[in-house]
Amino acid sequence: MTNDQNTNGVNNESNVHDTNNGSNVNNVTQLNNGNHISRADHLNHVINSDYTFTISLNGQEFPARPGQRILEVAKEKDLYIPSICYHEYLGSIQSCDTCFVEVNGQLQRACNTEAQPGMIVNSVSPSAKAAQREAMERILSRHELYCTVCDNNNGNCVVHNTAEYFEIEHQKYEFKPKPYPPDNSHPMYRYEPDQCILCGRCVEACQDLQVNETLRIDWQREHPRVIWDDDVLADQSSCVSCGHCVTVCPCNALMEKSMLGEAGYLTGIPKDVLEPMIDLTKEVEPGYREIFAISEMEAAMRKARIKRTKTVCTYCGVGCSFEIWTKDRKILKVEPQLEAPVNGISTCVKGKWGWDFVNSPERLTRPLIRRGDTFVESTWDEALSLIARKLTEIKERDGADSIGYIASSKCTNEENYLFQKFVRAVMGTNNVDNCSRYCQSPATMGLMRTVGLGGDSGTIRDIASAGLVLVIGANPAESHPVLATRVKRAHKLYGQKLAVIDLRRHELATRSDIFIQPKPGTDLIMLSGITKYIIDQGWADEGFIQQRVNGWEEYRASLDKFTLDYTAEACAVERNEIIRLATMIHEAKGVCILWAMGVTQHLGGTDTSTAISNLLLVTGNYGKPGTGAYPLRGHNNVQGACDFGTMPAWFPGYQPVEDTKVREKFEQAWGAKLPEKPGLNNHQMVEAIDKGKLKALYLFGEEMALVDSNINHVDHAFEKLEFFVVQDIFLSKTAQFADVVLPASPSLEKEGTFTNTERRIQRLYQVFEPMGESKPDWQIFQLLANKLGANWNYKHPGEIMAEAASLSPLFAGVNYSRLEGFNSQVWPVKPDGTSTELLYTERFSFPDGKARLLKVDWTPPFEAGAEFDLHLNNGRLLEHFHEGNLTYRVPGIVHKTPQPWVEVSPELAKERNIEDGALIQLTSPYGEVEVRVIVSDTVRGNELYLTMNSTTDRDAVNRLTSSYHDKYTHTPNYKEMGVKMTILEAQGENPLPRVNHRFGNRVPQIGVRVEEKWNRNDYTPIPEFVAKGDENHGESNPPH
Amino acid sequence: MAKAIRHIEKATPNPVQEQAASINDLLVSLADSRDALVRFLDILREAEKAGLLDILYGVLKARHEIGYQAINQLNQPSMHHTIKNAMGIVSFLGQVDPNQLQIMLGGISHGLKRASEPPEDGRAPGLWGLAKDLRDPGVSSTLHTAMEFMKGMGEHLRNESHPSPH
């Protein structure tokens, strides 16, 4: 797969504008002429000003801020100026021309003309109206209005609403079809050139917001259209199916296929009836007013049957929220909204399209009880009585600590709260943990011991506004796609610097200004070496350190050994790379460091996380906008599960179970005696089962039998359990070991809240009724607790949150009414409901308010032995969530990415004489897998990358990993394994189909290049057209 | 020792019990809507007697075929004209001021009445008589109205054949 995104991507050092179409100089500054302003300037202008002045708009005074454009000034006061291509998230595109207004007597585009004090603007003067009208007429020559039978007629179609505003009765320029068939190749969306108005919103979104750089408009051809890559079918392109283009399309040119024939009352009509109907309507066209009246009525009727529900995505820790449109149990589409606090209109392939699993016929709908070799469906009462009886029996016989409980980072805060309350107050043990143990516990620990709180220091806005983003041991473009878009955008448009330290040349690495590939497992040395160099240069932020940090001298002395030479040699990198990165950190205005499993899943994961925090402290990069530490949480609620107490040593809100006062508070609130000692974590539970100390396990919403490390060992442990309860939506691999399986409901079938990687709490609302007899997890816990005599009576998750907030100072002001709709709260939340988006602005979270520099040393990584000569790296990929239990039930995703693969470097492939598609066996001291090869220069030398999207025994990466772990947190060292390769077939079919985006060919450019439209011979600028007046009339071909 | 297993024995629902439960649900709904249902059944009976249900049944069964035929019949040039003309007339009626139309129609009605009365002397007026009638205020105001009407219509016709700028 050498024809990866890299080949045509933006090179490290080269200027984005030079990579393609070298002759066509098109950069941001070129847009900057007259009082038309560039995007970069615009961003800075508007954000940084409190000063206001007024302009006269249609005879009234309107307040404006420097840098604001006229259209924005009008929008703020709800004055309507027509505009089609302008979009709040994309800014001014200047392609539709419908926003022309008279500015001091001259016709100008309102979307791109900066408001100036004393400016006199008229949007309804005869010439302004004539200009707007002409623009709209040109648009309608490219778009056929058959609104009533159009699936996009849902009240929010921009073209429809604008045409209606103009009260257009008859078209001046006849609609002319374009000579291109619709592109229906992509499994998730379609492009219909005949309906495309060439506004360029999709291109802007693809090029500059998602920054995948797939879409363009080819302005050179006679009939311009949107093209994918070098004009290939959408399905064959570099499109990552993020859905941005479909979301921003102002009409029906780009549409979700799931909407087609479903949204309207008449749109499901068979084609042989529908087409003559459209012809007839056009033929007898009474004028658009009547058509609009009918289409409006029809749109209103649609509201009765299309339900729009706000939900929060469950596919990673970024916390995207959006509306989901449904008709009965059918999902019509996911529609992101401007007001979504994290993502706005952004989504990734999973969030936009990945929800089919909810209606899968494989969902569990009734409780299952193991009888011999078979699960037998049972009633709830039967299943819960059995669980209550067995748990009581084991507890009475072997003690409360002989049972373990594993919570879910996919489930809600309320469910995690209730579960740990059940475990502690009803079952009397602290043996409760969640899957952060497998990923981010080391990061949490590293932060708690240096700055006091185990969470991101700021929000996605800080990341977007940082001067330098350093990504280490993380692949956000695949694992946190929407967060990565903000980095890519800032880097492409606003001059943000991007540094990447990673084994793999992943997407952000290809885009970075500096990319360092150290030897596996040496990140701590690299970070310490950089920090030492910075200190030696006198670049440490001494003022910050003196005022706000403890432990400086001792820490500084601990760095002695991390000299440039030592670091360069230990990490196998060039000295000058270290110097260059250190210099960039020093020079940057604000540094954010992003990290994930590449750092944490090592023997020294906690220490490396600590080294990251140390570097930030030394350079003063905490407590200011655009700075801080960002351990990117992998699951939607891994933050919340920890926050709400499913951890062996902590009550909700990180209150220690060993603290007598805290315990007394909870004992009083819960009316039960609570255990004093911290319980077992996940890893220790598996060990305790193995040793016969843990007899029973209750687990919900975790696929531990696939995602824990060394799963051969874990599987054996599960087989030894006396009693095992699993609560899930599918019969997962883990559930297959259970004695009782309880059918739970996924996020779309319940209410609750999730906390994302930013510490942001967001509500999700119920879309569907629970399928069959499945139930939301919190209801199941309550039923079981009551079987055991707890007598709980929670009627709604809001009551659970109220209780949790009343007991946890960190969440004091959190409540459901403050979280209505798209509102969110970022903890710590004060009693009055005030969020804390940016941490540590005044003090660090320690009694004396000061941060702590902590000396850490390098732990050499695990060595499997000389015969295991290849290094095994592993992780997620964009299209599938984790192991894929959910996303393999989405046909469109499977079409794109049907199975896992292993990446082999070109040099190793040559040495072993294998090609794309070869089948190899990888063997570690712990197990073996069989998997097909992709030869790729994302990896180098003897380093392999095995993707983790496997739900089968044959190719699951954790057959290979070991049970060694980080010494503080017991997080397994997933990223430290040696394997040997046996070739089973030297050639074979490529594990990725041709339609995977990795085979595409990106075409980077800035925006839609509207200048090329203006330069066309058939384009008459609107002011010119209006000035010419009568001469133009009678022509039948519209100017472009 | 609990090995991983995948086989699920589905609880086969008891069809008799399931049916009984459904019927019970239905009965509750029926009882709740008693009055409406009795009235509706009455309407249904009448429709059956009148043969309407047969027609409806036929139409529903053949809906695709009928829709296809109907739309193709409608989508013919002559039908386009009919529909357009019908809409043109409707739109014309929409533009006419009801008061004016009322006066005009009142005049026509009164004129018709006069026209159907036999002349006083039973003879048709001579040329001189007609000329004299022109001085009659009623006649001259009708003629004036007709002249103005013709001017207005002519103006519009001229505009249509030499379109002015939009």
Side-chain angles (χ1 to χ4, degrees):
Chain A
M1 199 182 44
T2 45
N3 188 17
D4 201 342
Q5 56 260 39
N6 316 338
T7 43
N8 230 349
V10 182
N11 295 329
N12 292 354
E13 295 294 300
S14 73
N15 182 333
V16 62
H17 319 303
D18 298 335
T19 44
N20 269 279
N21 299 342
S23 60
N24 201 327
V25 180
N26 174 7
N27 61 30
V28 187
T29 47
Q30 202 198 13
L31 300 173
N32 196 352
N33 52 7
N35 56 359
H36 292 214
I37 48 181
S38 76
R39 288 167 230 217
D41 289 347
H42 179 59
L43 187 85
N44 296 331
H45 265 96
V46 182
I47 285 175
N48 302 327
S49 84
D50 296 326
Y51 164 68
T52 60
F53 54 88
T54 63
I55 63 170
S56 159
L57 191 43
N58 299 349
Q60 279 187 309
E61 293 298 305
F62 278 67
R65 295 187 299 282
Q68 249 186 333
R69 294 108 189 264
I70 294 168
L71 187 63
E72 291 158 349
V73 171
K75 267 182 193 284
E76 263 187 21
K77 290 281 164 197
D78 290 330
L79 175 83
Y80 181 76
I81 296 176
S83 63
I84 291 180
C85 66
Y86 176 86
H87 185 284
E88 277 85 341
Y89 258 84
L90 305 171
S92 160
I93 299 173
Q94 306 185 78
S95 64
C96 82
D97 285 346
T98 56
C99 71
F100 267 102
V101 291
E102 255 191 85
V103 180
N104 301 333
Q106 297 283 312
L107 282 174
Q108 307 255 28
R109 292 187 186 88
C111 70
N112 201 45
T113 308
E114 204 178 312
Q116 306 282 356
M119 194 179 241
I120 295 168
V121 182
N122 195 329
S123 70
V124 291
S125 70
S127 77
K129 282 183 117 173
Q132 295 165 5
R133 172 86 187 215
E134 170 62 20
M136 192 68 214
E137 294 282 6
R138 292 181 186 182
I139 283 166
L140 290 182
S141 73
R142 292 183 217 118
H143 180 89
E144 203 169 9
L145 287 172
Y146 51 74
C147 308
T148 310
V149 292
C150 169
D151 283 298
N152 199 43
N153 180 39
N154 300 299
N156 59 352
C157 175
V158 183
V159 171
H160 171 281
N161 296 349
T162 314
E164 201 178 7
Y165 164 82
F166 282 111
E167 297 183 343
I168 285 179
E169 274 295 303
H170 293 280
Q171 262 173 252
K172 178 168 147 195
Y173 307 120
E174 191 193 347
F175 164 74
K176 287 234 173 83
K178 301 177 192 75
Y180 311 111
D183 184 347
N184 290 312
S185 63
H186 197 281
M188 296 147 183
Y189 64 86
R190 72 101 194 258
Y191 174 59
E192 169 57 282
D194 271 355
Q195 293 299 99
C196 175
I197 62 167
L198 302 173
C199 68
R201 272 187 178 193
C202 55
V203 176
E204 296 273 340
C206 184
Q207 289 286 345
D208 296 343
L209 184 54
Q210 159 68 26
V211 198
N212 198 61
E213 304 171 325
T214 300
L215 299 190
R216 283 181 293 166
I217 290 179
D218 182 356
W219 294 111
Q220 306 308 323
R221 56 180 80 190
E222 187 186 347
H223 300 280
R225 59 162 285 176
V226 177
I227 56 172
W228 275 249
D229 288 359
D230 305 309
D231 196 9
V232 298
L233 288 173
D235 200 30
Q236 312 249 331
S237 71
S238 59
C239 168
V240 289
S241 316
C242 64
H244 278 83
C245 57
V246 183
T247 297
V248 298
C249 179
C251 61
N252 63 338
L254 280 158
M255 279 202 74
E256 299 87 355
K257 280 188 165 174
S258 49
M259 286 283 281
L260 299 178
E262 291 288 341
Y265 284 90
L266 302 175
T267 55
I269 294 173
K271 221 174 168 191
D272 59 355
V273 180
L274 182 65
E275 279 178 358
M277 224 160 111
I278 295 175
D279 285 348
L280 174 69
T281 318
K282 273 168 40 193
E283 193 55 51
V284 303
E285 187 181 284
Y288 284 124
R289 189 193 304 240
E290 289 82 357
I291 291 190
F292 284 142
I294 295 171
S295 71
E296 288 273 290
M297 213 164 72
E298 205 259 354
M301 279 165 65
R302 291 185 189 191
K303 284 192 185 134
R305 67 169 187 178
I306 298 178
K307 188 175 150 199
R308 305 177 185 189
T309 316
K310 181 234 173 175
T311 193
V312 181
C313 187
T314 55
Y315 282 128
C316 77
V318 172
C320 297
S321 54
F322 36 69
E323 280 183 354
I324 192 151
W325 291 25
T326 52
K327 191 174 83 178
D328 303 323
R329 273 198 86 93
K330 187 176 168 59
I331 296 170
L332 294 184
K333 70 162 159 173
V334 160
E335 186 168 276
Q337 302 290 319
L338 289 169
E339 62 261 48
V342 185
N343 57 308
I345 56 155
S346 293
T347 46
C348 76
V349 52
K350 303 183 289 297
K352 177 77 183 172
W353 317 101
W355 301 95
D356 294 351
F357 73 88
V358 176
N359 288 321
S360 163
E362 292 166 7
R363 281 276 306 276
L364 297 173
T365 54
R366 302 191 69 188
L368 305 176
I369 295 175
R370 175 187 287 259
R371 301 214 198 284
D373 287 343
T374 306
F375 284 119
V376 181
E377 286 192 340
S378 77
T379 64
W380 273 100
D381 192 57
E382 223 177 320
L384 291 171
S385 299
L386 175 64
I387 297 169
R389 184 164 54 83
K390 290 293 284 185
L391 291 183
T392 308
E393 218 175 270
I394 293 168
K395 181 181 163 189
E396 282 171 3
R397 190 189 66 209
D398 298 315
D401 291 338
S402 65
I403 309 175
Y405 302 84
I406 290 173
S408 173
S409 60
K410 269 68 75 185
C411 290
T412 65
N413 290 323
E414 293 74 6
E415 288 165 338
N416 276 281
Y417 174 85
L418 214 55
F419 190 66
Q420 59 88 37
K421 178 175 173 179
F422 168 75
V423 173
R424 294 183 161 123
V426 180
M427 301 308 297
T429 178
N430 281 319
N431 287 348
V432 60
D433 203 8
N434 69 71
C435 85
S436 66
R437 189 68 49 200
Y438 301 141
C439 50
Q440 285 286 20
S441 288
T444 303
M445 173 79 106
L447 291 174
M448 285 175 95
R449 62 194 203 175
T450 51
V451 288
L453 288 174
D456 287 6
S457 319
T459 68
I460 195 168
R461 273 172 203 77
D462 292 293
I463 296 172
S465 64
L468 168 73
V469 168
L470 168 57
V471 181
I472 173 166
N475 181 9
E478 300 213 51
S479 302
H480 305 86
V482 168
L483 187 138
T485 66
R486 301 308 192 256
V487 175
K488 292 193 279 180
R489 177 176 169 88
H491 183 252
K492 181 173 181 179
L493 296 185
Y494 303 129
Q496 182 176 73
K497 294 278 182 255
L498 176 59
V500 172
I501 302 177
D502 209 290
L503 302 188
R504 292 174 73 226
R505 185 183 289 277
H506 54 53
E507 186 189 335
L508 286 191
T510 66
R511 295 178 181 277
S512 64
D513 299 290
I514 177 167
F515 172 42
I516 299 179
Q517 280 175 291
K519 220 165 101 182
T522 61
D523 293 335
L524 184 137
I525 300 175
M526 170 66 69
L527 290 157
S528 303
I530 291 168
T531 312
K532 178 173 166 55
Y533 182 80
I534 285 174
I535 295 171
D536 290 348
Q537 294 303 303
W539 295 341
D541 189 340
E542 304 244 6
F544 180 87
I545 294 166
Q546 289 310 323
Q547 277 175 20
R548 306 198 54 186
V549 184
N550 289 325
W552 169 232
E553 289 305 331
E554 198 187 343
Y555 170 71
R556 185 185 176 137
S558 77
L559 290 179
D560 279 353
K561 76 169 176 188
F562 297 101
T563 59
L564 272 184
D565 288 334
Y566 171 76
T567 305
E569 200 195 322
C571 302
V573 300
E574 298 289 324
R575 274 171 56 116
N576 62 9
E577 286 187 298
I578 304 166
I579 294 172
R580 196 152 72 87
L581 179 53
T583 310
M584 280 169 71
I585 292 171
H586 166 59
E587 287 171 353
K589 202 177 157 202
V591 176
C592 287
I593 303 185
L594 281 46
W595 77 101
M597 313 298 100
V599 164
T600 59
Q601 292 176 336
H602 287 276
L603 296 180
T606 297
D607 288 338
T608 308
S609 299
T610 306
I612 291 172
S613 194
N614 285 338
L615 171 57
L616 290 166
L617 284 171
V618 165
T619 51
N621 277 303
Y622 268 119
K624 289 175 282 204
T627 67
Y630 297 83
L632 302 178
R633 308 292 177 176
H635 293 193
N636 56 309
N637 204 32
V638 78
Q639 183 71 48
C642 298
D643 296 348
F644 285 84
T646 51
M647 294 213 289
W650 308 96
F651 283 118
Y654 302 97
Q655 303 174 82
V657 295
E658 286 173 299
D659 184 318
T660 315
K661 271 198 180 150
V662 167
R663 217 169 44 246
E664 278 169 1
K665 177 173 75 174
F666 280 92
E667 284 176 343
Q668 202 174 6
W670 295 346
K673 182 89 186 113
L674 299 176
E676 298 170 15
K677 287 225 170 76
L680 303 176
N681 61 39
N682 288 357
H683 183 83
Q684 292 165 325
M685 286 185 216
V686 175
E687 279 181 354
I689 299 168
D690 202 38
K691 290 184 184 137
K693 287 183 186 160
L694 202 79
K695 310 286 190 203
L697 193 64
Y698 188 140
L699 171 152
F700 74 103
E702 281 300 334
E703 182 59 304
M704 202 164 154
L706 283 175
V707 304
D708 199 349
S709 64
N710 194 3
I711 46 179
N712 290 324
H713 172 65
V714 174
D715 290 359
H716 289 311
F718 285 164
E719 288 173 359
K720 283 188 185 170
L721 281 166
E722 186 181 328
F723 189 63
F724 188 15
V725 181
V726 172
Q727 196 166 303
D728 208 314
I729 63 172
F730 292 111
L731 189 67
S732 62
K733 178 73 191 175
T734 311
Q736 290 168 24
F737 291 96
D739 294 288
V740 182
V741 183
L742 299 176
S745 304
S747 65
L748 297 191
E749 295 176 1
K750 60 189 175 191
E751 288 207 32
T753 59
F754 293 142
T755 307
N756 77 346
T757 191
E758 300 171 297
R759 300 167 277 112
R760 185 185 301 276
I761 304 169
Q762 305 187 89
R763 264 182 88 170
L764 46 143
Y765 292 82
Q766 188 175 341
V767 180
F768 299 128
E769 284 302 312
M771 185 187 256
E773 290 178 28
S774 71
K775 291 179 192 297
D777 297 84
W778 66 272
Q779 289 179 12
I780 302 175
F781 303 143
Q782 173 155 291
L783 286 170
L784 181 59
N786 288 346
K787 277 257 179 230
L788 292 158
N791 200 20
W792 292 349
N793 189 25
Y794 300 103
K795 298 218 163 39
H796 188 267
E799 298 168 12
I800 303 171
M801 178 55 87
E803 179 180 314
S806 73
L807 291 167
S808 325
L810 216 49
F811 317 123
V814 176
N815 71 47
Y816 266 39
S817 57
R818 290 177 174 142
L819 292 166
E820 282 280 329
F822 281 93
N823 293 332
S824 63
Q825 293 181 299
V826 184
W827 67 254
V829 180
K830 292 186 190 140
D832 66 0
T834 312
S835 290
T836 316
E837 299 215 329
L838 182 61
L839 295 175
Y840 320 125
T841 51
E842 306 284 326
R843 57 200 313 278
F844 287 92
S845 201
F846 289 112
D848 64 355
K850 286 191 165 188
R852 299 169 183 175
L853 279 167
L854 204 75
K855 65 171 183 182
V856 282
D857 204 353
W858 181 55
T859 309
F862 169 81
E863 296 286 348
E867 70 175 299
F868 304 101
D869 54 340
L870 305 175
H871 177 265
L872 179 76
N873 191 1
N874 54 79
R876 274 193 204 169
L877 71 162
L878 173 69
E879 299 93 316
H880 284 286
F881 174 64
H882 226 50
E883 79 291 330
N885 273 344
L886 307 181
T887 43
Y888 274 115
R889 291 178 167 94
V890 179
I893 290 180
V894 174
H895 165 82
K896 291 283 188 187
T897 310
Q899 59 191 313
W901 66 89
V902 63
E903 286 172 9
V904 175
S905 70
E907 50 275 29
L908 184 64
K910 195 172 167 205
E911 182 196 310
R912 304 286 167 106
N913 207 11
I914 51 174
E915 297 174 1
D916 282 344
L919 183 65
I920 58 172
Q921 185 181 61
L922 297 175
T923 310
S924 83
Y926 300 91
E928 58 193 39
V929 298
E930 281 177 23
V931 63
R932 292 204 180 265
V933 167
I934 290 178
V935 179
S936 166
D937 58 7
T938 49
V939 290
R940 56 174 196 172
N942 283 356
E943 294 170 10
L944 305 174
Y945 186 79
L946 177 53
T947 63
M948 70 172 295
N949 51 315
S950 162
T951 55
T952 71
D953 290 336
R954 190 175 50 90
D955 48 16
V957 61
N958 290 315
R959 298 259 161 239
L960 301 172
T961 51
S962 77
S963 296
Y964 290 96
H965 52 78
D966 176 59
K967 55 190 167 219
Y968 302 103
T969 62
H970 289 179
T971 296
N973 64 339
Y974 292 88
K975 300 294 192 274
E976 298 176 352
M977 185 47 63
V979 293
K980 60 184 173 188
M981 178 196 293
T982 315
I983 298 160
L984 303 176
E985 295 168 19
Q987 296 143 343
E989 198 183 335
N990 196 309
L992 275 182
R994 172 62 192 85
V995 294
N996 188 276
H997 70 90
R998 291 169 182 82
F999 296 107
N1001 196 10
R1002 288 185 171 134
V1003 188
Q1005 64 180 35
I1006 305 252
V1008 72
R1009 294 187 167 169
V1010 69
E1011 303 81 1
E1012 291 181 23
K1013 169 184 169 166
W1014 298 338
N1015 290 338
R1016 285 175 66 95
N1017 289 334
D1018 58 359
Y1019 178 78
T1020 316
I1022 298 259
E1024 203 176 294
F1025 185 91
V1026 172
K1028 276 189 195 162
D1030 296 355
E1031 289 168 43
N1032 289 290
H1033 292 285
E1035 69 182 334
S1036 59
N1037 282 327
H1040 260 285
Chain B
M1 272 309 224
K3 290 279 179 195
I5 52 170
R6 308 179 70 147
H7 183 248
I8 297 177
E9 197 179 293
K10 295 261 177 193
T12 35
N14 180 337
V16 180
Q17 276 178 3
E18 285 212 327
Q19 205 174 26
S22 300
I23 289 173
N24 197 44
D25 287 352
L26 265 178
L27 283 178
V28 173
S29 293
L30 289 176
D32 286 350
S33 333
R34 201 189 65 146
D35 292 349
L37 276 170
V38 168
R39 174 69 63 89
F40 182 65
L41 286 174
D42 203 25
I43 294 171
L44 216 55
R45 224 176 359 251
E46 292 301 322
E48 169 68 22
K49 270 192 226 159
L52 284 179
L53 291 189
D54 272 348
I55 297 173
L56 194 61
Y57 180 81
V59 169
L60 284 176
K61 276 284 174 188
R63 59 185 178 274
H64 182 199
E65 178 74 1
I66 291 177
Y68 177 77
Q69 293 295 346
I71 201 75
N72 277 301
Q73 285 305 314
L74 283 175
N75 200 15
Q76 304 291 337
S78 65
M79 277 312 286
H80 296 162
H81 288 168
T82 310
I83 299 170
K84 273 184 181 169
N85 287 339
M87 286 192 302
I89 290 167
V90 171
S91 141
F92 164 73
L93 289 176
Q95 289 162 26
V96 176
D97 178 351
N99 288 329
Q100 275 180 353
L101 186 67
Q102 200 58 47
I103 294 166
M104 196 66 84
L105 289 176
I108 290 174
S109 152
H110 192 69
L112 278 173
K113 216 194 281 165
R114 279 282 298 266
S116 58
E117 283 170 11
E120 277 163 23
D121 53 2
R123 287 191 334 183
L127 208 56
W128 184 247
L130 284 176
K132 230 171 65 183
D133 278 352
L134 282 177
R135 281 207 292 274
D136 177 83
V139 172
S140 84
S141 92
T142 304
L143 276 179
H144 178 71
T145 308
M147 287 299 184
E148 290 302 317
F149 171 80
M150 283 192 282
K151 282 185 199 159
M153 186 167 156
E155 233 170 61
H156 186 77
L157 289 177
R158 267 216 332 263
N159 282 350
E160 283 294 299
S161 51
H162 302 283
S164 70
H166 284 255

